[in-house]
Amino acid sequence: MIKLYTHWEDLNRAPYSILSNEAAFKGFCRRPEVYTDYVREVIKRVDSGILLDVNTGLVKMPRGVTTVKELSTGCKTVINAICCIRFNNTPAVINANECGRKALIELFKVVDNQDISLLLMNTDIPKELYWRFTLNNGQEVEDCFSLRYRLAEIS
């Protein structure tokens, strides 16, 4: 089950919150142990990138070679969630508002049945997401279509 919050104030509901995924990623990206095979797959699926070197953070992207700092914010959000599970081991609320379709699909896979909630105030949820959701720590929603309507009502 995916836990979603729809208001900025909800970031205060957990001992650890990530408001800026860019800032959080700066802390995580320096650790070579972050770049597991699964993280490499996330980089490939979300941003079509291939991690070349874990120590320097070089990534081959469709438009050339760059560093992990140039990954999309959505990709960084997914990696932050993986790091929260692996290193922090505390309940977290992560801002998912800057995730695109590919990143949301990966992010939902990562946080499903974990102690991580997502702040998601927009209603652009990909059609292929058919998870069960808990909305604002209460009401359960069975599919993304009814969730989309409920998010629109709350916003």
Side-chain angles (χ1 to χ4, degrees), residues 3 13-17 84 88-93 114-117:
K3 296 169 278 202
R13 292 184 186 238
Y16 184 74
S17 299
C84 283
N88 288 354
N89 203 20
T90 59
V93 178
Q114 296 292 328
D115 206 4
I116 292 181
S117 301

Side-chain angles (χ1 to χ4, degrees), residues 72-83:
S72 70
T73 303
C75 189
K76 291 175 184 177
T77 303
V78 179
I79 295 170
N80 287 342
I82 293 168
C83 290

Side-chain angles (χ1 to χ4, degrees), residues 19 52 62 66 82 121 153:
L19 173 63
L52 300 174
T66 186
I82 293 168
M121 298 184 313
E153 289 171 7

Side-chain angles (χ1 to χ4, degrees), residues 10-26:
D10 295 324
L11 284 171
N12 298 324
R13 292 184 186 238
Y16 184 74
S17 299
I18 296 179
L19 173 63
S20 169
N21 283 289
E22 295 287 337
F25 184 75
K26 283 182 184 176

